[in-house]
């Protein structure tokens, strides 16, 4: 049995320093965490919609639907917590993704039934 405690163990790829990670995240404002998560969801959805340079290589509309829906839910739930300064471009990005999803679908969803439209209302395009 080792004499060192877990906090005395140096950080390695298999042994991350969770205390340092917790300290780092504690210093980040909630709005920044929400916006970062939203941007990550937007980026992942764009890839799954085939909107990157690789095009259709990673296209997966089922996965894109889930990501767009999650993004819409996050933005809806956090609307009162983040300012319009942060929310407006995220909403614009969401709408662009919803329109891209509609265009990419062989059989488009009925208005109001597309990904995230439960939160945003029907998207026409």
């Amino acid at each position: 049995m080792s004499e060192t405690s877990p906090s005395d163990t140096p950080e390695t790829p298999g042994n991350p320093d969770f205390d340092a990670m917790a300290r780092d995240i504690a210093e980040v404002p909630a709005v920044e965490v929400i916006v970062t998560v939203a941007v990550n969801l937007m980026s992942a959805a764009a890839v799954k919609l085939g909107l990157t340079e690789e095009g259709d290589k990673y296209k997966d509309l089922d996965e894109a639907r889930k990501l767009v829906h999650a993004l819409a839910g996050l933005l809806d739930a956090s609307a009162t917590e983040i300012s319009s300064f942060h929310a407006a471009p995220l909403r614009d990005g969401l709408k662009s993704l919803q329109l891209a999803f509609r265009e990419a679908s062989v059989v488009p969803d009925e208005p109001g039934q597309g990904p995230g439209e439960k939160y945003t209302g029907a998207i026409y395009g």
Side-chain angles (χ1 to χ4, degrees):
M1 184 158 269
S2 173
E3 294 291 322
T4 61
S5 69
S7 62
D8 295 336
T9 308
E11 182 178 351
T12 61
N15 185 20
D17 184 356
F18 291 113
D19 290 336
M21 290 168 58
R23 280 191 305 275
D24 290 345
I25 200 71
E27 296 172 6
V28 180
V31 170
E32 191 172 326
V33 173
I34 293 166
V35 170
T36 299
V37 170
V39 169
N40 285 330
L41 286 168
M42 291 175 81
S43 298
V47 169
K48 296 296 184 177
L49 285 167
L51 302 177
T52 60
E53 291 179 10
E54 291 85 13
D56 290 347
K57 182 176 179 183
Y58 300 109
K59 190 172 184 176
D60 184 337
L61 293 182
D62 184 51
E63 291 289 303
R65 176 183 294 278
K66 294 171 188 171
L67 292 163
V68 172
H69 190 76
L71 174 62
L74 174 64
L75 294 182
D76 184 59
S78 63
T80 60
E81 306 301 324
I82 61 177
S83 66
S84 293
F85 175 79
H86 295 294
L90 294 173
R91 283 192 302 265
D92 290 345
L94 170 60
K95 184 174 182 179
S96 295
L97 290 169
Q98 288 172 312
L99 288 169
F101 185 90
R102 185 167 295 284
E103 287 179 17
S105 298
V106 176
V107 179
D109 296 315
E110 291 295 320
Q113 301 302 309
E117 291 182 24
K118 167 182 172 180
Y119 301 107
T120 63
I123 301 293
Y124 298 94

